[in-house]
Amino acid sequence: MQFDDDARLDTSEVQDVRGSRIPGGRATVGGGLAGLLALVLALLFGVGPDQLGLTDGSEQPAAPASGLAQVQQACLTGQDANARDDCRMVAVVNSVQDFWDGEFTRRGGAYGRSPTVFFSERVGTACGSATSAVGPFYCPGDRKVYLDLGFFEDLRTTFDAQGGPFGQAYVVAHEYGHHVQNLTGTLGRSRDGRTGAGSNAVRVELQADCYAGVWAHHATTTPDESTGRPLITELTDADIRDGLDAAAAVGDDRIQERFQGRVTPETWTHGSAQQRQEWFYRGYESGDMARCDTFR
């Protein structure tokens, strides 16, 4: 996965609050074993801590100037994205949102951009307070994606994913798939409280995987505003394999087998490893969000 060295990154799409704390905040999900269980229960790619029973406080931590400077001063060009993990995530956010902006326009709609918030340890959101143990998530209440970059190491070491830049990009693109669902009105279908292989919760997650694949299909042809050229210049077959591997690593069956020693499909909320791979690849192969109707 390579970025155009000369492209200028838009850091306004990322809010960096790493190192900040929530004054007096308390999340019901802690670290250690409790955090690990939260990861398993959340299955990592959630759509907001409100669904995990986290606190309902909405305090927004103030970002220290030094934290903001990490991204604003260091992540200026595509060359920086090729060299640093946090800058790479800025570039991925830019590319994903450029694509969906253009896709909504092409379909006669309007895409509302969503910031990604980089945080560490704990963060306040409109969906409640959350710790890093929740994993990456999208909060429909404030229309933001939340990401602790340390999650990518957990994905590799705890869940045996191969990792790699595009495996990380898949995670971000999946969360923006939830934002697209929020804008189109399908996200709420996951909130009926039901679980299982055929539940709406699973269908929503698989659709977000498919939307991530749709973006990947167009990633090397989506023009960047600063240059008119694609921000992402190369995606290889190996990159796509890393994305498929990351999707499989967080399948319900893989996680249940690893952490509880048995698979219980009646409790699934995100889909099996095979389903997640299949829907990501369907989006990637077709490049058409209309092919992502998991509710049929």
Side-chain angles (χ1 to χ4, degrees):
M1 184 178 189
Q2 291 292 317
F3 299 91
D4 180 357
D5 283 343
D6 297 325
R8 294 196 60 82
L9 302 184
D10 183 0
T11 57
S12 70
E13 294 189 340
V14 171
Q15 299 170 2
D16 192 348
V17 299
R18 288 174 290 178
S20 61
R21 308 283 294 188
I22 301 177
R26 181 183 66 85
T28 60
V29 180
L33 179 60
L36 182 59
L37 290 175
L39 283 171
V40 176
L41 293 173
L43 299 175
L44 303 180
F45 291 176
V47 295
D50 55 324
Q51 294 183 330
L52 300 177
L54 304 190
T55 60
D56 58 3
S58 58
E59 306 101 320
Q60 294 292 338
S66 60
L68 289 172
Q70 290 184 59
V71 164
Q72 290 183 341
Q73 294 182 9
C75 302
L76 302 179
T77 68
Q79 185 174 17
D80 299 323
N82 286 322
R84 288 176 52 132
D85 287 348
D86 53 357
C87 299
R88 182 189 308 121
M89 292 302 98
V90 173
V92 169
V93 169
N94 290 170
S95 175
V96 170
Q97 299 218 90
D98 283 346
F99 167 69
W100 287 115
D101 196 352
E103 182 67 9
F104 271 60
T105 299
R106 188 179 70 84
R107 292 175 174 271
Y111 175 77
R113 292 194 174 234
S114 166
T116 284
V117 180
F118 290 167
F119 74 97
S120 57
E121 297 186 15
R122 181 181 295 177
V123 68
T125 83
C127 299
S129 301
T131 71
S132 298
V134 176
F137 63 91
Y138 172 72
C139 172
D142 55 26
R143 294 187 173 185
K144 294 180 181 179
V145 171
Y146 290 86
L147 174 65
D148 184 332
L149 296 176
F151 164 77
F152 295 127
E153 182 65 14
D154 293 334
L155 184 63
R156 188 179 64 83
T157 60
T158 304
F159 295 91
D160 288 338
Q162 294 175 12
F166 189 77
Q168 299 173 5
Y170 154 75
V171 172
V172 175
H174 172 98
E175 298 306 330
Y176 275 97
H178 287 314
H179 180 54
V180 171
Q181 292 171 322
N182 196 28
L183 296 177
T184 57
T186 61
L187 184 59
R189 298 177 72 169
S190 67
R191 299 174 190 165
D192 58 10
R194 298 178 181 176
T195 62
S199 67
N200 282 342
V202 167
R203 294 176 190 273
V204 162
E205 295 299 330
L206 296 179
Q207 186 176 63
D209 283 334
C210 188
Y211 285 163
V214 170
W215 160 73
H217 176 95
H218 296 281
T220 58
T221 59
T222 298
D224 176 64
E225 290 183 358
S226 67
T227 64
R229 303 188 302 269
L231 175 56
I232 297 176
T233 59
E234 182 183 34
L235 279 183
T236 66
D237 290 343
D239 289 323
I240 300 304
R241 286 195 296 271
D242 283 346
L244 289 166
D245 179 74
V250 290
D252 284 336
D253 52 341
R254 290 273 188 94
I255 292 177
Q256 290 179 341
E257 180 67 33
R258 184 173 182 83
F259 291 101
Q260 67 184 30
R262 67 186 189 282
V263 177
T264 54
E266 65 274 11
T267 65
W268 286 2
T269 58
H270 285 60
S272 69
Q274 181 178 354
Q275 286 176 311
R276 301 199 72 165
Q277 286 186 320
E278 286 178 350
W279 281 99
F280 171 79
Y281 196 75
R282 178 180 297 200
Y284 174 67
E285 190 174 44
S286 69
D288 183 3
M289 67 181 298
R291 296 288 303 277
C292 296
D293 185 359
T294 55
F295 295 92
R296 290 190 298 181

